[in-house]
Amino acid sequence: MPKFSAQKLNIKKKEKCLTNRKISEKSGIPLVTVDKLFSGANTNPTVQILQKIATVLECTLDDLMDYEGSPMQEYYQNKEVLKLAKDLNDNKKLRTLMTLTKDLNEPALNALIEIVNQINK
């Protein structure tokens, strides 16, 4: 089960160069509540509060959560892998290509990569 991460929240705040006061103003959440979230004093905020803060920080709720114990934790936190998974999910032809090529041996994969490189030139 994911848990709210004050550490990740603070990283996002720093990335956006925002203060707690500015986040409070932009989100409409009382400053005392924002202070408690960022200090880690509130470890179980409501989804509504987190969504408002995520909107201000221009991130997703997942960006503010820890997925400890999940075997996929490192993959979900890797934005590049997450984007690739979304692309595979959204694009049927790309998904078909992945399905058809996933079991190729290394020489066959190298040949396919060479073909794709030639096409992209």
Side-chain angles (χ1 to χ4, degrees), residues 99-111:
T99 301
L100 293 171
T101 60
K102 69 179 181 172
D103 295 323
L104 292 178
N105 60 30
E106 189 168 342
L109 279 174
N110 289 337

Side-chain angles (χ1 to χ4, degrees), residues 74-114:
E74 64 187 82
Y75 300 109
Y76 287 130
Q77 292 178 356
N78 182 323
K79 299 296 182 203
E80 208 172 300
V81 172
L82 186 61
K83 183 183 179 331
L84 180 58
K86 184 178 179 338
D87 290 347
L88 285 170
N89 184 61
D90 294 346
N91 186 324
K92 185 177 179 182
K93 288 183 179 181
L94 190 57
R95 193 168 53 248
T96 300
L97 181 62
M98 179 67 172
T99 301
L100 293 171
T101 60
K102 69 179 181 172
D103 295 323
L104 292 178
N105 60 30
E106 189 168 342
L109 279 174
N110 289 337
L112 184 59
I113 290 169
E114 185 58 37

